[in-house]
Amino acid sequence: MIQLQSENASYQGVKTLHDIDLKVSEGEKLALVGQSGSGKSTLIKLIYERYPVNTALVPQDYGLVNHLSVFHNVYMGCLDQHSTFYNLVNLIRPKADQVEMVRAILSGLQLEDYLFRPVGRLSGGQKQRVAVARSLFQKGHLLLADEPVSSVDEQQSRVVLKQMLNGFSTVVLALHDIQLALAFCDRIIGLEKGRIVLDSPAKRLTEQDLLSLY
Amino acid sequence: MKLKLFLSLLFSALILFSNVALSATPKTLVFSAIPDQDETRLKQRFDDIAKYLEQKLGVPVKYVPVKSYAAVITAFRNNQVQLAWFGGLSGVQARLKVPGSQAIAQGIEDTKFRTYIIANHSTGLKPSDKFPTGIAGKTFTFGSKGSTSGRLMPQYYIEKHMHKKVGDIFKRVGFSGNHSKTIALVQSGAYEVGAVNYQVWEKELKEGKIDTSKVSVIWKTPTYPDYQWTIRGDVDKVWGKGFTDKVKKALLELKDPELLARFPRSGFIEAKNSDYQPILDTAKSIGLID
Amino acid sequence: MDSVYKHSRAWKVSWLFVLLAGFSLFFSDIEIISLEPWQELKRLFLGLLTPDWSNFSEIIQAFLQTLAFAILGVAGGSAVGFLLAQIFHWRWIQISCAFIRAIHELFWALIFLQIFGLHPLTGLLAIGLPYAATFAKVYAEILEEGDKSALQAISRNASTISTFFYARLPDLWEHFKTYTSYRLECGLRSSAILGFVGLPTLGYTLSSAFMEGHYSVVWALLLLFYLLIATIRYWVRPALLPVYIIAAPFIVANDSTISFDNVQRFFTEDIIPAPIMRGDSLSESWHWLSDLLVNQALPGIANTVVLTQIALVASGILTLLFFPLISSHFFKPVGRTLGHVLLVILRTTPEYILAYILLQLWGPSMLPAIVALALHNGAIIGHLIGRYSLEIQLRADAGRGLNRYFYELLPRLYGQFLAFLFYRWEIIMRESAILGILGIATLGFYIDSSIQELHFDKAMILIFITALLNVLVDALSRYLRAKLRLTTNVDCRASNDYCTARE
């Protein structure tokens, strides 16, 4: 599914990933853990660049359009599945069937009340869930999510993560919350200074093992 | 809020309907004239001439006001104007640009046209039959850049008598734009000396518009041919054979003193292109025409 | 304090410009020529007290034409500019746009008058073409500076148009709208001025009335123009724009036609240099060209540069005098309101009209042009700097009056001030050239003369030189801004001030 071999990557001119070897198989749920600046985001981007087809992405900065409604931001996940004309009409007059599909996804994320509210007027946590909703609406084989629950409270985080893991067969998450990583993923990759320093099934690890990374 | 919207709607509706006069009748004869004096009254001056011609020719005739001498020539050349009341120089230029076009009529006065050199009394320059060499070192204004009586002829005579280019004779050289303005500027002292079409001077003098305690004529140029009606060579193709002659006849038969005063001329007589050879030669000699 | 008043670069550059302007003064001719300038000024102000609306239908007609040309020109320009903005990264598009922008609307009008004569296309293109080039540049900057984060999450298979309309346009819409409506205001000014060269807009009636000294009519026209600009936000509404755009062609339509022969003739005969048309020998051609360069281009360039440099520094000085008028650090609300009225009037009146008025009063020296350019530009920048001064929070015990001005405000505003002034540099130069049409011996004078003498080949060469000069000054201004690290610290996206100063 994903195969990276001795990959390097730079971010803003600074080399942030060194010699990365990574293989992910279909159906795996992967968590990238490590300090901020350890290269998690760059790795997510690198994977997205290599495997853009059929992949949904939840970027760290959400990638939302503030002046568009929640509905349109979520619908944006599927622009490639409709004609340009259909998209433009939907922009002005939302199609009823699309609205229903989006509403269903939003209700799973406790966002259905905000369907037609401009994203710019939502709180940070709400925005983050809209970004997740967009990826769920998009569907695909692979989900790449960079800190998708960083602004959401503990209890909601669990709901959101569950939705994401159910929605995609293969998932790569960058997570700074070790507890969540251990609870929801089946494989943990530890990063430090741009190198993979840990690669192990979650079952074999405890929180203590991971704390050394921080 | 609602009121504002309503007002805006009303306003736009006004714009939409206030301008439905979209005539597209193809065979309107369009004529124009060089804006040689009082621009605010150009339309009043020439709209009645259009009516006269329309009645005489039996085709729709329209006058379009134009802002500059060059623009009349361009419009004539572009066939957006088929008939024009040109000055000597502009007529020559136009006929050079539109082969086949002809001068068909001129004012009786135009065979012996003159330019007056006028001066503000603060200069101390006195009227004389001899060329006033005392104008050297003064500020000087022509009329329009493309004018015969306001630029071409005075420049020619001044340079001939002073043996220098105008730029080297005067302290400052300007172009007022038209003859009325030249008189106003010299009278106010904005310029000390100026060159003006004698017809415009005499007319404004008669109308009491000139303060003779401030400005007077100090020299008169020799005579030269000036204004004329010029028509495009292809009008017969559009309005039928003999149309040129019909227009010429209509102009020569214009006797209404009220209408003639608009030019101002006492009547029109025949003209031909060769009448204006002296103008062409002069224009070439001072480099206005290559 | 050090950063401004000691030996900082900004301080040195400022002095350099002041010295240059002082030096230029020696070469400029700045006397008042009229014998009774104040008499004429008195008549002008008497006209203000007795505006003459008797020719109402003609006045309304002139305004409708002004509006219609502005709306069509700006609408066309923004549509084309929007498309060009998408490919603005192509170097040759940038260069062509810079070149087209460098030529003033009035020069474009003079060119198109030769091609299309009195056909409405002349006015439409005279506004639309340079505006399209400006729109292309600013729209491209808006696109470039805007938030692109939404793009990363969109599938690469989605169509470009869909992606643009969903992921980019919504967040940029406000900026496009703000800038475009600001340009509509500029378009009204441009459209009004086109009348001076013969289009049936406000300038036509205005210049005719002025020629004859009908100052009451002049004021009727000017007052209505101020009203039109002041109420712009009430009558320019997105919902109404389609109505205007549909109505405008009917207003500008006249029955003149375009013939392809004229267009062809213009490009294959009129603008081909005479020596080439005549098949002159090389030495004859060189004689023709050197005569043009030495007797027209060089004096024209010299006068244009002299006028520009003096007007630039004069604008700067006026800015420094003007901005306290609208700043709460110096004046109480009543005083500020008067200050605002003054600045609004000065910046609403196109500098061309301002120069025209002063020229009628004082005679054709450089003085009217300098004063007009300084008043107009000083009012624009003064307004912007005045607004910035409001963002400065002073300590409770800060000095008052001149102490406050020189110790507290000027040092903090100086960088901003220089940045805006350099932005206007190129614009002042473009205007300096164009004011030649009014009789001051800048490049515009020689261009207009060539056109009046039907030497379009010479006119085109001179226009080309004018454009080059502008591009050069633009580059110089950009270099200086970079060197002095002058950036407008305002977000272009959040306010149109930046755009205001720029165009």
Side-chain angles (χ1 to χ4, degrees):
Chain A
M1 179 91 208
I2 297 175
Q3 196 159 14
L4 299 177
Q5 243 173 12
S6 4
E7 292 277 1
N8 297 306
S10 319
Y11 178 67
Q12 292 184 340
V14 182
K15 206 166 168 197
T16 42
L17 285 183
H18 309 272
D19 215 11
I20 299 290
D21 287 312
L22 182 67
K23 216 171 176 174
V24 181
S25 324
E26 175 93 40
E28 279 193 289
K29 319 283 185 203
L30 215 82
L32 308 178
V33 298
Q35 274 182 317
S36 61
S38 60
K40 290 174 296 186
S41 293
T42 317
L43 184 53
I44 294 269
K45 274 184 200 139
L46 181 68
I47 299 172
Y48 187 64
E49 259 164 48
R50 289 298 138 81
Y51 303 93
V53 181
N54 251 327
T55 302
L57 175 73
V58 182
Q60 198 168 17
D61 56 3
Y62 317 145
L64 298 174
V65 178
N66 286 326
H67 284 81
L68 280 187
S69 67
V70 170
F71 163 74
H72 284 115
N73 269 284
V74 173
Y75 175 83
M76 219 179 294
C78 283
L79 285 180
D80 59 339
Q81 287 161 33
H82 303 282
S83 72
T84 300
F85 180 74
Y86 184 94
N87 288 338
L88 294 186
V89 171
N90 183 60
L91 191 59
I92 298 160
R93 267 189 84 89
K95 301 274 182 186
D97 51 340
Q98 300 292 343
V99 173
E100 281 324 303
M101 282 190 269
V102 170
R103 195 196 299 277
I105 288 173
L106 290 179
S107 69
L109 295 164
Q110 296 157 358
L111 276 172
E112 70 270 37
D113 294 344
Y114 306 111
L115 189 60
F116 286 110
R117 184 171 296 190
V119 161
R121 285 168 47 199
L122 300 182
S123 72
Q126 290 167 332
K127 283 184 186 172
Q128 194 159 40
R129 280 179 283 146
V130 175
V132 171
R134 180 186 56 210
S135 70
L136 293 174
F137 188 67
Q138 184 176 352
K139 302 189 182 69
H141 296 319
L142 172 65
L143 171 68
L144 297 171
D146 193 352
E147 301 289 0
V149 291
S150 58
S151 308
V152 182
D153 69 41
E154 170 80 27
Q155 187 253 327
Q156 268 186 339
S157 295
R158 291 174 181 277
V159 177
V160 172
L161 284 174
K162 197 177 277 168
Q163 297 270 352
M164 292 168 80
L165 296 173
N166 287 343
F168 294 84
S169 63
T170 315
V171 177
V172 179
L173 301 174
L175 279 178
H176 69 274
D177 187 321
I178 304 167
Q179 274 187 341
L180 288 176
L182 289 174
F184 283 89
C185 297
D186 45 37
R187 181 174 162 200
I188 308 288
I189 304 282
L191 282 164
E192 199 178 302
K193 289 179 185 156
R195 290 174 200 281
I196 293 179
V197 292
L198 173 88
D199 184 351
S200 157
K203 280 181 279 188
R204 291 201 216 139
L205 295 169
T206 63
E207 276 185 50
Q208 283 305 316
D209 298 328
L210 294 180
L211 279 176
S212 63
L213 288 168
Y214 287 87
Chain B
M1 190 66 214
K2 274 205 175 128
L3 181 72
K4 250 188 232 162
L5 188 71
F6 172 75
L7 283 177
S8 338
L9 276 170
L10 190 72
F11 183 70
S12 39
L14 263 177
I15 289 186
L16 196 60
F17 295 114
S18 67
N19 210 294
V20 282
L22 268 180
S23 67
T25 38
K27 288 201 176 178
T28 301
L29 176 75
V30 184
F31 86 94
S32 191
I34 50 171
D36 58 343
Q37 50 176 314
D38 195 346
E39 291 183 22
T40 54
R41 288 185 309 186
L42 279 175
K43 237 177 132 49
Q44 295 158 340
R45 265 174 84 194
F46 291 109
D47 272 352
D48 289 336
I49 309 294
K51 265 184 226 146
Y52 168 83
L53 287 174
E54 191 162 283
Q55 176 214 332
K56 279 273 181 179
L57 300 173
V59 303
V61 179
K62 194 182 140 195
Y63 162 75
V64 290
V66 171
K67 198 80 190 169
S68 72
Y69 286 43
V72 188
I73 300 172
T74 306
F76 185 76
R77 190 183 185 198
N78 286 354
N79 202 7
Q80 289 165 333
V81 160
Q82 291 81 34
L83 173 71
W85 174 240
F86 279 122
L89 174 62
S90 44
V92 165
Q93 287 170 318
R95 289 191 296 274
L96 278 178
K97 297 282 183 195
V98 186
S101 56
Q102 309 174 36
I104 49 172
Q106 59 186 336
I108 291 170
E109 291 83 350
D110 289 304
T111 52
K112 289 196 173 66
F113 217 79
R114 284 175 190 277
T115 294
Y116 288 171
I117 303 292
I118 57 173
N120 189 286
H121 288 174
S122 65
T123 59
L125 292 167
K126 294 276 175 278
S128 146
D129 285 341
K130 270 185 61 192
F131 185 82
T133 47
I135 58 176
K138 304 276 187 266
T139 58
F140 183 89
T141 185
F142 289 113
S144 166
K145 285 171 183 168
S147 165
T148 311
S149 54
R151 198 245 172 120
L152 174 70
M153 284 303 168
Q155 182 175 349
Y156 172 73
Y157 282 111
I158 290 170
E159 290 182 353
K160 191 176 137 195
H161 283 99
M162 306 291 282
H163 308 291
K164 271 197 260 181
K165 290 271 173 201
V166 283
D168 302 325
I169 299 168
F170 299 109
K171 186 172 156 209
R172 184 196 302 279
V173 177
F175 293 92
S176 69
N178 67 44
H179 300 293
S180 312
K181 193 72 191 170
T182 302
I183 299 173
L185 288 177
V186 177
Q187 180 171 310
S188 79
Y191 283 98
E192 298 174 291
V193 186
V196 63
N197 172 323
Y198 89 109
Q199 279 289 327
V200 175
W201 172 272
E202 299 291 354
K203 178 170 147 259
E204 300 210 344
L205 194 64
K206 217 187 289 170
E207 291 169 0
K209 286 186 182 167
I210 300 174
D211 183 349
T212 46
S213 72
K214 287 186 174 162
V215 57
S216 51
V217 177
I218 57 166
W219 190 67
K220 298 173 180 177
T221 63
T223 62
Y224 52 84
D226 203 345
Y227 290 70
Q228 87 296 143
W229 286 100
T230 295
I231 194 162
R232 285 179 62 94
D234 50 11
V235 288
D236 285 10
K237 260 189 262 162
V238 181
W239 284 277
K241 223 171 158 218
F243 188 73
T244 306
D245 293 331
K246 249 171 100 181
V247 175
K248 185 193 255 184
K249 192 156 164 276
L251 290 169
L252 298 185
E253 284 173 359
L254 178 59
K255 300 290 182 217
D256 183 349
E258 177 74 4
L259 291 182
L260 285 169
R262 308 285 171 92
F263 288 92
R265 297 292 183 269
S266 51
F268 289 112
I269 54 173
E270 264 193 78
K272 51 189 186 304
N273 290 2
S274 59
D275 293 342
Y276 293 87
Q277 189 62 35
I279 298 286
L280 178 60
D281 295 340
T282 312
K284 279 188 174 167
S285 79
I286 65 169
L288 274 178
I289 293 180
D290 287 329
Chain C
M1 214 95 345
D2 284 356
S3 64
V4 176
Y5 293 133
K6 274 196 180 164
H7 303 290
S8 73
R9 274 184 180 159
W11 186 234
K12 281 183 201 158
V13 167
S14 306
W15 272 112
L16 181 70
F17 272 79
V18 171
L19 283 177
L20 262 177
F23 186 66
S24 302
L25 270 177
F26 281 106
F27 296 93
S28 67
D29 123 57
I30 49 166
E31 58 183 318
I32 292 183
I33 298 157
S34 308
L35 293 183
E36 294 162 345
W38 307 113
Q39 201 66 30
E40 206 65 13
L41 197 63
K42 206 173 97 192
R43 287 188 54 218
L44 181 68
F45 279 106
L46 281 178
L48 174 59
L49 301 179
T50 56
D52 175 4
W53 309 90
S54 58
N55 241 339
F56 200 67
S57 71
E58 199 184 320
I59 292 177
I60 288 300
Q61 193 58 33
F63 269 90
L64 285 179
Q65 295 282 345
T66 307
L67 268 170
F69 274 115
I71 285 167
L72 284 178
V74 173
S78 72
V80 174
F82 185 77
L83 294 177
L84 287 176
Q86 314 300 322
I87 47 169
F88 202 72
H89 48 273
W90 292 357
R91 191 91 189 112
W92 64 271
I93 293 272
Q94 288 177 21
I95 293 171
S96 337
C97 282
F99 208 78
I100 289 170
R101 270 201 318 273
I103 298 173
H104 194 280
E105 300 93 80
L106 269 184
F107 288 142
W108 282 117
L110 286 172
I111 294 173
F112 289 123
L113 267 173
Q114 302 315 318
I115 306 179
F116 304 119
L118 305 170
H119 193 275
L121 207 54
T122 297
L124 178 62
L125 287 175
I127 299 177
L129 194 68
Y131 275 55
T134 311
F135 274 127
K137 177 176 169 231
V138 176
Y139 284 169
E141 276 168 15
I142 293 175
L143 285 171
E144 182 56 38
E145 289 164 18
D147 177 16
K148 290 186 195 127
S149 63
L151 286 180
Q152 54 188 321
I154 287 187
S155 160
R156 286 160 204 208
N157 294 332
S159 77
T160 320
I161 295 179
S162 297
T163 309
F164 182 80
F165 273 87
Y166 274 79
R168 306 252 26 219
L169 195 60
D171 277 354
L172 298 175
W173 182 247
E174 273 305 309
H175 313 135
F176 284 126
K177 216 174 80 183
T178 310
Y179 182 70
T180 311
S181 61
Y182 164 68
R183 285 300 280 172
L184 183 60
E185 193 187 319
C186 298
L188 280 171
R189 280 197 285 267
S190 300
S191 170
I193 281 176
L194 291 186
F196 279 81
V197 295
L199 277 95
T201 63
L202 178 64
Y204 191 101
T205 324
L206 191 69
S207 65
S208 303
F210 239 120
M211 272 274 195
E212 309 309 324
H214 298 158
Y215 294 130
S216 300
V217 178
V218 168
W219 279 109
L221 292 163
L222 282 179
L223 289 174
L224 202 55
F225 188 65
Y226 293 139
L227 187 72
L228 190 73
I229 300 258
T231 55
I232 200 162
R233 70 191 125 133
Y234 299 113
W235 56 267
V236 174
R237 317 203 131 222
L240 289 175
L241 279 181
V243 181
Y244 294 149
I245 291 172
I246 292 167
F250 291 95
I251 294 175
V252 299
N254 60 28
D255 40 19
S256 61
T257 49
I258 303 175
S259 96
F260 180 69
D261 289 346
N262 295 332
V263 180
Q264 192 190 15
R265 188 198 61 212
F266 181 79
F267 288 105
T268 56
E269 289 174 31
D270 290 357
I271 63 170
I272 308 294
I276 297 179
M277 283 303 283
R278 286 194 301 255
D280 282 359
S281 71
L282 212 58
S283 74
E284 282 170 321
S285 306
W286 171 245
H287 181 75
W288 181 89
L289 185 66
S290 62
D291 181 62
L292 177 67
L293 293 181
V294 173
N295 293 323
Q296 303 193 24
L298 278 183
I301 292 171
N303 282 321
T304 307
V305 171
V306 162
L307 175 56
T308 305
Q309 292 314 111
I310 300 175
L312 182 70
V313 171
S315 303
I317 294 171
L318 280 189
T319 302
L320 297 179
L321 290 175
F322 279 158
F323 88 81
L325 297 182
I326 59 163
S327 171
S328 57
H329 296 305
F330 295 97
F331 287 96
K332 299 211 156 56
V334 180
R336 288 206 303 277
T337 309
L338 289 176
H340 271 296
V341 171
L342 174 73
L343 295 197
V344 164
I345 288 178
L346 288 177
R347 63 172 203 270
T348 307
T349 318
E351 51 263 69
Y352 193 82
I353 290 179
L354 215 51
Y356 187 86
I357 294 175
L358 296 174
L359 218 68
Q360 302 298 314
L361 301 179
W362 298 342
S365 76
M366 248 185 215
L367 189 65
I370 295 171
V371 174
L373 287 170
L375 283 175
H376 181 77
N377 289 292
I380 288 179
I381 312 175
H383 165 76
L384 298 174
I385 297 291
R387 281 188 23 194
Y388 281 117
S389 74
L390 302 183
E391 287 168 17
I392 295 174
Q393 303 284 332
L394 294 182
R395 336 184 287 282
D397 60 345
R400 309 213 149 263
L402 284 179
N403 284 338
R404 173 175 292 188
Y405 184 87
F406 283 106
Y407 279 81
E408 299 287 346
L409 286 170
L410 196 53
R412 292 179 185 150
L413 294 168
Y414 202 77
Q416 199 71 56
F417 160 75
L418 272 192
F420 281 139
L421 203 56
F422 284 140
Y423 274 128
R424 299 284 316 172
W425 193 6
E426 179 224 8
I427 298 164
I428 291 176
M429 168 156 280
R430 207 165 40 192
E431 289 289 337
S432 297
I434 208 75
L435 290 181
I437 297 182
L438 297 177
I440 304 148
T442 59
L443 280 161
F445 174 81
Y446 295 100
I447 292 169
D448 182 53
S449 296
S450 295
I451 286 175
Q452 295 305 322
E453 288 158 18
L454 308 178
H455 293 144
F456 305 117
D457 48 350
K458 290 183 182 169
M460 290 309 274
I461 293 177
L462 292 172
I463 288 177
F464 182 78
I465 291 173
T466 311
L468 275 187
L469 199 61
N470 264 302
V471 171
L472 197 75
V473 163
D474 193 26
L476 202 59
S477 147
R478 224 171 318 128
Y479 169 80
L480 278 175
R481 290 196 313 261
K483 194 90 184 161
L484 299 174
R485 298 204 192 84
L486 300 174
T487 45
T488 37
N489 55 20
V490 225
D491 197 343
C492 172
R493 284 155 281 173
S495 95
N496 71 347
D497 290 352
Y498 168 66
C499 313
T500 314
R502 211 165 6 175
E503 279 299 329

